[in-house]
Amino acid sequence: MKIKHLLGCLLTLMTLPACATQNYVLDDVRLIDGTNNPAHEHMRIVLSENIISAVGPASSLPLPQGADVRNLHGQTVMPGIVSDHVHLAQFNGVQPSPAVYTRENIIAQLTLYAKYGVTTVMSLGVNRPLFYDIRDE
């Protein structure tokens, strides 16, 4: 299995510290690798400094010494989802309004997308300078 297909893994990785310097292991996960193959069961994903360094069956991939092992039996890890048609911060609930185009609303909506596993969005429509400022941060 190629590691490059896993770089967008998000669902469980969001729970790791942002600046991890040790090894983490996501153990006994169901892995959807984005190659159009069936999901792989009972897999182990090793992360070193938040970079995927090894992927394989949990029964045969060794645990790094001193790793923080998270048993995630029954949980799924998959590449991040891309949404190519988003109207970011043009609505608050169901009401469209220029007044809701705020930093707080943009960040809240991006955070919600991330919680759903959407790691990339293409915002269409009325992007203003605030959007690009946040993107560049």
Side-chain angles (χ1 to χ4, degrees), residues 69-130:
V69 180
R70 308 216 178 164
N71 187 317
L72 301 173
H73 176 77
Q75 295 189 38
T76 300
V77 175
M78 61 181 268
I81 299 168
V82 176
S83 178
D84 66 353
H85 190 122
V86 172
H87 296 280
L88 194 60
Q90 294 179 26
F91 292 83
N92 189 4
V94 295
Q95 296 298 324
S97 169
V100 300
Y101 197 88
T102 64
R103 177 181 191 79
E104 293 76 21
N105 200 19
I106 291 171
I107 291 172
Q109 289 181 11
L110 289 173
T111 301
L112 184 60
Y113 279 117
K115 287 180 181 180
Y116 291 146
V118 178
T119 59
T120 305
V121 298
M122 175 176 273
S123 182
L124 306 172
V126 294
N127 296 331
R128 298 183 207 157
L130 176 60

Side-chain angles (χ1 to χ4, degrees), residues 5 13 35 47 53 66 76-77 94 104 114-115 121 136-137:
H5 294 292
L13 303 181
T35 63
L47 295 100
S53 60
T76 300
V77 175
V94 295
E104 293 76 21
K115 287 180 181 180
V121 298
D136 294 339
E137 287 179 2

